[in-house]
Amino acid sequence: MNFAAQLFYSSYLSERLERLYSPRPALKDSEENDPFWQSQPGSSYKYGPVSNGTVGRRPTLIEPERLKDFGVEELLNGDVKVHETKVVMAPEVVLMDPPKTRRVSEFRMIPRPPAQYLRFEDISAAAFRIQSGMQKTPCTYSRLSKQYGMEIYLKKEHLHYTGSVKERGVLYLLTSLTQQQQRMGVIVATDCNFSMAVAHHAVELKIPVFVIMPSSCSSPRLRIYRDYGAMVISYGSTGRDSQNHACHLARENGYLYLEEDENAAYLAGLGTVGMEIYEQVPKLEAVVIPAAGQYGLLAGTAAAIKHLDSRILVIGVEPEDFPLLLQSLKMNGPIKDMHSNPNKKLYGDLMEHSLGVNTFQLAQKLVDKVITVSEEDSLVAMLRFQEFERSTVDTEGAMGLAAILAGQLPELKGKKVAVVVSSANMELEVVRQCMDRALVLDNRISKFSVQLGEWPGDMAKLLDVLTREDVRLLDVCHRRHSDKSELFKAKVECVVETRDKMQTAHLRKTLSERYPSICWLDR
């Protein structure tokens, strides 16, 4: 009800009350039977007004519809007092429906599919994040393709700043840290490709980085970490001592201790290699990936390749002296203890790493084949890189090509194959020793001994034969007082280098015909 209506009704009510309770004069005889006076409020006529010839009730002063707006009215000292009335009812009783009869099958929980540990969306996000701080390495056609009957494309990940593919995973891992963790800093304690990548990219991202190395670490390696800008501390005599000290410093100072494991962000960063290979090599049919030490590169690359094209073969290669993944696949579970002793100078500290459950499951699901290569095959593959690709890689980076050179992948004949060259971090002295050994294994360096007489010119005749055969004399030793030499004869040992196996075979035939006493020494 609006204000005007309330005002009108209030005045109307006051007038009716005044007329009702004010004294009235007595009616005359002529007025007593007058219907008008009979219908007036306050009259003493006992029947009320007449309607349609019948006597009706006296109308109420306030209509029932209006009572609910104002409440019950009560006259009190000439004023109107309003009381609100509320009707309180008992709560309504609602009966429950009878329980439904359900079958037993309806109570069974439908299991949700488990969340994927490494999705292609994670790899795509990593590729977008690291594109500004990571170069896209080339994937070039190899000169060895015609020699081995397949189209070989080398994904040269060793061309990164630190010489390792692990820069991809490390960069994405560091950028995924919280601001508080980046402000406090990170710490590493092993001399490997992972630690070198952490030292370089942490400095680039303005993250404090500390490197704890044992005293047995060579000075050139320590200088590399210092050149990157890391704080290097020598502690302990073994790698275990430096790791324990690094963990202690991390707890005391709030540093984040980093080690190579199956972190999801780290694997996603490594998986970007597969995306680039698929983009750079059209109509790709197979990918050969080294899997030494930590198997994140194999798992991450396989996840990307299989998502883009499930028909592409993914082949993992690991050293023959440490077949951790191959044995784990046979046992249907990751092996923790591998009783093997690989050459640490060639393959690093492989025994320091273990195969994680998630990485194993990814490899078991996505990798089509896992093979092993011998140390000799890896060294020869390093030699092929030097000769045909004009690049120096380590044994881990050469394992993919070593599997092809050893003839262990005959099913790839005539196919387009990409080989990941993962790293090239090997000390110069070790590289030189590896090349010398590879030349021997490749029948390029031969060592023989022959008995010559003490007549003048016998030594010159031997050297003349070697000159005419166009071989390179590396070393010669003339022994006159050898116990096994005959009387009046001397033993001469020579080390020569040839161009290839064909020249070596021809040299052996020529010397054997001229010197029946020649003895070719074992490799």
Side-chain angles (χ1 to χ4, degrees):
M1 182 181 296
N2 56 23
F3 179 78
Q6 292 181 5
L7 183 62
F8 172 78
Y9 185 74
S10 177
S11 60
Y12 170 77
L13 183 63
S14 300
E15 181 181 355
R16 295 296 300 270
L17 290 175
E18 182 180 358
R19 294 178 60 183
L20 178 64
Y21 294 99
S22 60
R24 296 177 57 92
L27 296 178
K28 299 179 181 179
D29 295 338
S30 58
E31 297 176 347
E32 187 174 357
N33 297 324
D34 191 353
F36 173 77
W37 294 106
Q38 295 176 358
S39 61
Q40 294 300 316
S43 62
S44 60
Y45 193 72
K46 60 182 179 179
Y47 293 108
V50 178
S51 177
N52 292 333
T54 60
V55 180
R57 280 187 176 182
R58 186 175 65 180
T60 57
L61 298 177
I62 303 176
E63 297 178 0
E65 289 78 10
R66 298 182 182 273
L67 282 174
K68 56 188 178 181
D69 294 333
F70 291 89
V72 180
E73 296 182 357
E74 180 183 358
L75 183 63
L76 182 62
N77 295 329
D79 297 330
V80 178
K81 184 177 181 180
V82 180
H83 299 276
E84 295 183 358
T85 59
K86 296 183 180 180
V87 179
V88 181
M89 301 178 61
E92 183 180 2
V93 179
V94 180
L95 297 179
M96 298 178 61
D97 295 334
K100 296 181 180 180
T101 303
R102 300 177 65 183
R103 284 175 278 183
V104 178
S105 61
E106 297 182 11
F107 289 93
R108 295 174 182 172
M109 299 296 295
I110 301 177
R112 296 182 178 180
Q116 296 182 3
Y117 184 75
L118 181 61
R119 304 174 302 167
F120 182 76
E121 292 78 3
D122 302 329
I123 301 176
S124 300
F128 179 79
R129 178 79 65 85
I130 68 176
Q131 63 180 348
S132 60
M134 188 72 56
Q135 63 175 343
K136 181 180 291 187
T137 57
C139 189
T140 58
Y141 182 79
S142 175
R143 299 178 180 90
L144 296 169
S145 298
K146 296 180 180 180
Q147 183 176 348
Y148 294 96
M150 62 185 73
E151 296 185 52
I152 302 176
Y153 291 84
L154 301 177
K155 181 60 174 172
K156 299 181 178 180
E157 290 296 305
H158 65 288
L159 297 180
H160 286 295
Y161 189 84
T162 63
S164 171
V165 66
K166 296 179 181 179
E167 283 193 30
R168 296 176 178 269
V170 167
L171 179 57
Y172 187 57
L173 175 62
L174 292 176
T175 55
S176 301
L177 300 179
T178 63
Q179 293 185 356
Q180 178 65 21
Q181 291 173 334
Q182 294 182 1
R183 192 180 308 110
M184 295 299 296
V186 296
I187 187 170
V188 293
T190 54
D191 181 22
C192 59
N193 294 332
F194 177 82
S195 298
M196 295 178 67
V198 171
H200 169 62
H201 285 288
V203 173
E204 293 293 320
L205 296 173
K206 309 300 181 183
I207 300 175
V209 55
F210 303 89
V211 179
I212 312 299
M213 289 296 166
S215 57
S216 59
C217 186
S218 62
S219 299
R221 301 287 289 187
L222 295 178
R223 186 172 61 250
I224 291 176
Y225 289 100
R226 291 191 176 97
D227 291 342
Y228 289 157
M231 175 64 70
V232 181
I233 301 174
S234 295
Y235 184 88
S237 58
T238 62
R240 182 60 60 185
D241 295 338
S242 60
Q243 291 176 10
N244 293 336
H245 186 61
C247 294
H248 172 73
L249 293 178
R251 290 191 301 267
E252 293 294 328
N253 301 279
Y255 305 142
L256 179 62
Y257 179 66
L258 294 179
E259 58 182 349
E260 192 173 7
D261 54 12
E262 56 175 10
N263 184 281
Y266 180 67
L267 297 185
L270 294 176
T272 59
V273 178
M275 295 182 60
E276 291 187 8
I277 293 176
Y278 185 81
E279 176 187 353
Q280 293 171 327
V281 183
K283 298 181 181 180
L284 183 65
E285 296 177 271
V287 181
V288 182
I289 308 168
Q294 214 282 336
Y295 297 83
L297 175 62
L298 177 62
T301 306
I305 291 293
K306 287 296 184 179
H307 178 86
L308 296 171
D309 190 348
S310 60
R311 298 171 298 178
I312 299 177
L313 296 177
V314 177
I315 301 173
V317 185
E318 57 182 348
E320 192 178 63
D321 296 334
F322 197 75
L324 180 60
L325 179 58
L326 189 61
Q327 295 298 328
S328 298
L329 292 174
K330 292 180 180 179
M331 299 298 295
N332 198 26
I335 298 177
K336 298 299 181 182
D337 297 326
M338 188 73 184
H339 300 287
S340 180
N341 188 21
N343 193 328
K344 291 186 177 182
K345 287 190 175 182
L346 296 181
Y347 297 106
D349 297 329
L350 297 186
M351 293 181 294
E352 299 294 333
H353 300 288
S354 61
L355 182 61
V357 176
N358 294 311
T359 307
F360 169 77
Q361 292 177 353
L362 288 171
Q364 186 182 36
K365 179 181 178 181
L366 302 175
V367 178
D368 298 291
K369 185 178 181 180
V370 178
I371 60 177
T372 60
V373 293
S374 63
E375 176 183 314
E376 292 77 10
D377 294 333
S378 297
L379 294 177
V380 174
M382 292 176 59
L383 179 62
R384 295 291 184 269
F385 271 103
Q386 285 278 2
E387 292 181 321
F388 292 90
E389 299 300 329
R390 308 296 188 268
S391 57
T392 302
V393 301
D394 54 18
T395 49
E396 182 178 344
M399 281 195 304
L401 184 61
I404 297 177
L405 304 186
Q408 298 193 37
L409 298 173
E411 65 272 18
L412 301 183
K413 291 287 185 179
K415 294 186 178 181
K416 187 175 290 188
V417 184
V419 179
V420 179
V421 186
S422 59
S423 59
N425 278 325
M426 184 176 284
E427 296 184 19
L428 185 59
E429 179 61 24
V430 180
V431 172
R432 186 187 63 81
Q433 296 177 12
C434 289
M435 291 298 99
D436 292 341
R437 177 62 176 164
L439 289 171
V440 175
L441 295 172
D442 198 35
N443 291 324
R444 304 271 295 278
I445 293 182
S446 301
K447 183 177 181 180
F448 62 89
S449 65
V450 62
Q451 289 184 351
L452 300 178
E454 293 186 348
W455 300 101
D458 285 350
M459 185 67 181
K461 292 178 182 179
L462 174 62
L463 297 178
D464 183 63
V465 172
L466 298 179
T467 303
R468 282 186 279 118
E469 292 295 328
D470 194 20
V471 297
R472 181 184 177 190
L473 182 62
L474 301 180
D475 191 15
V476 60
C477 181
H478 187 261
R479 302 179 185 272
R480 297 185 58 185
H481 303 285
S482 177
D483 295 337
K484 296 183 179 180
S485 62
E486 297 181 3
L487 187 62
F488 305 117
K489 287 188 178 182
K491 183 179 180 180
V492 178
E493 294 181 356
C494 297
V495 179
V496 295
E497 180 182 356
T498 57
R499 292 188 302 271
D500 49 31
K501 295 180 180 180
M502 294 181 60
Q503 188 182 18
T504 302
H506 187 268
L507 176 65
R508 289 197 174 198
K509 181 181 178 181
T510 302
L511 293 179
S512 299
E513 293 176 353
R514 188 174 183 88
Y515 301 99
S517 63
I518 191 171
C519 178
W520 296 94
L521 304 179
D522 295 334
R523 297 183 296 177

